[in-house]
């Protein structure tokens, strides 16, 4: 009799702990990160074109969709049982090859990048987005943002010239209504250049939102926008 009356509160406590932990494991928003392929390729390390023979477009490509907490931390590697499975996104693969390619060396077909993105980041948002919805969300967001045409409409072109980082930021903010964060890298002559663009996205992976915070990223006031 005695043991029974103790068992119930104990189990409830365990249940409560479980609920609290799984809620804590969720996330608050995404970073959606796009990359300029020209700035990957003209570095000292260079780049390698995909083995598929399908070359990336002269366009911003997707790097990732990364869940984040409002407190500056981020979850990763949330489910070791739910691994990347190409058969779940078969219909998206042709699009992913042009919009979400890898330029890392040695040449690869992209699946290593996609597996990394899903296993490390995607698994942390699977309560809301399954594998197919996750990659789909990335493709849809890129389509929605269309950074290249936003910049070109403001006469900011990938022609190897220098542009004001502040101006680039403002032009994107004007077009999308939210403040982006620009990440630079250096070309082979060590000149700073436009490398990646961070935008914040709501939990559903649907709409751009004002970022709760941005990490400080080093960029010069004037940066190159290299050709690709
Ligand atoms: C660049 O990508 C965007 C988004 O996918 C697309 O809408 C646009 O047509 C592309 N532009 C070029 C020049 O390929």
């Amino acid at each position: 009799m005695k043991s029974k009356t103790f068992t119930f509160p104990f189990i409830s406590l365990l249940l409560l702990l479980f609920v609290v932990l799984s809620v804590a494991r969720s996330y608050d928003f995404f970073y959606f990160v796009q990359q300029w392929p020209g700035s990957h390729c003209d570095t000292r390390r260079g780049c390698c074109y995909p083995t598929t023979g399908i070359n990336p477009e002269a366009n911003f490509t997707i790097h990732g969709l990364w869940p984040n907490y409002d407190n500056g931390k981020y979850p990763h590697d949330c489910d070791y049982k739910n691994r990347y499975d190409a058969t779940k996104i078969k219909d998206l693969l042709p699009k992913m090859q042009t919009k979400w390619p890898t330029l890392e060396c040695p040449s690869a077909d992209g699946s290593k990048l996609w597996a990394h993105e899903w296993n490390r980041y995607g698994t942390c948002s699977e309560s809301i987005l399954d594998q197919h919805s996750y990659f789909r969300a990335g493709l849809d967001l890129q389509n929605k943002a269309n950074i290249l045409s936003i910049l070109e409409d403001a006469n900011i072109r990938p022609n190897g010239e220098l542009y004001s980082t502040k101006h680039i930021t403002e032009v994107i903010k004007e077009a999308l209504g939210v403040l982006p964060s620009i990440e630079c890298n250096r070309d082979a002559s060590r000149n700073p250049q436009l490398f990646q663009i961070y935008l914040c996205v709501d939990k559903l992976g649907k709409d751009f939102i004002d970022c709760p915070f941005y990490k400080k990223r080093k960029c010069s006031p004037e940066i190159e926008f290299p050709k690709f």
Side-chain angles (χ1 to χ4, degrees):
M1 205 56 207
K2 204 164 190 191
S3 81
K4 228 178 193 169
T5 51
F6 272 106
T7 313
F8 181 70
F10 181 67
I11 287 175
S12 324
L13 197 68
L14 267 184
L15 266 174
L16 185 71
L17 197 68
F18 179 75
V19 167
V20 166
L21 281 177
S22 45
V23 165
R25 254 192 52 190
S26 186
Y27 61 101
D28 299 315
F29 69 99
F30 286 109
Y31 278 131
F32 178 58
V33 187
Q34 296 183 76
Q35 185 171 96
W36 177 248
S39 300
H40 190 145
C41 289
D42 73 351
T43 53
R44 283 195 177 166
R45 283 171 64 193
C47 69
C48 294
Y49 281 21
T51 51
T52 52
I54 302 162
N55 290 340
E57 293 175 339
N59 207 338
F60 283 87
T61 61
I62 306 168
H63 183 177
L65 184 62
W66 304 335
N68 253 270
Y69 297 122
D70 283 341
N71 69 7
K73 295 189 175 137
Y74 65 92
H76 60 85
D77 302 289
C78 295
D79 186 353
Y80 286 99
K81 283 179 303 248
N82 185 353
R83 304 277 83 188
Y84 171 75
D85 178 357
T87 63
K88 290 184 176 164
I89 55 165
K90 253 191 181 140
D91 59 317
L92 301 179
L93 289 175
K95 260 247 149 99
M96 297 200 17
Q97 279 163 350
T98 55
K99 303 286 184 186
W100 205 325
T102 182
L103 286 166
E104 289 295 324
C105 296
S107 284
D109 66 1
S111 51
K112 197 174 141 198
L113 169 67
W114 304 327
H116 171 77
E117 294 300 316
W118 171 259
N119 294 338
R120 184 164 174 83
Y121 303 107
T123 52
C124 300
S125 55
E126 66 187 334
S127 56
I128 293 177
L129 300 170
D130 62 15
Q131 249 180 84
H132 191 273
S133 326
Y134 176 78
F135 287 105
R136 183 73 224 236
L139 293 169
D140 289 347
L141 286 165
Q142 198 230 19
N143 209 28
K144 215 164 169 178
N146 200 352
I147 297 286
L148 185 61
S149 74
I150 290 173
L151 295 179
E152 287 188 331
D153 285 350
N155 262 310
I156 300 168
R157 298 175 194 283
N159 53 10
E161 286 179 20
L162 293 180
Y163 295 95
S164 144
T165 306
K166 191 157 170 264
H167 188 217
I168 293 173
T169 307
E170 283 166 357
V171 161
I172 296 172
K173 157 118 206 208
E174 180 79 7
L176 297 179
V178 297
L179 196 68
S181 170
I182 311 290
E183 182 181 2
C184 292
N185 68 355
R186 288 177 184 274
D187 70 11
S189 320
R190 315 297 293 155
N191 302 310
Q193 56 182 1
L194 175 57
F195 178 45
Q196 299 203 114
I197 295 184
Y198 287 65
L199 290 165
C200 288
V201 175
D202 67 3
K203 258 182 113 151
L204 301 177
K206 274 212 160 115
D207 294 308
F208 297 116
I209 55 167
D210 285 315
C211 283
F213 67 91
Y214 271 131
K215 267 193 330 200
K216 271 236 179 323
R217 295 193 174 84
K218 236 171 57 190
C219 248
S220 307
E222 297 271 306
I223 56 176
E224 187 187 337
F225 192 4
K227 295 183 179 141
F228 179 61

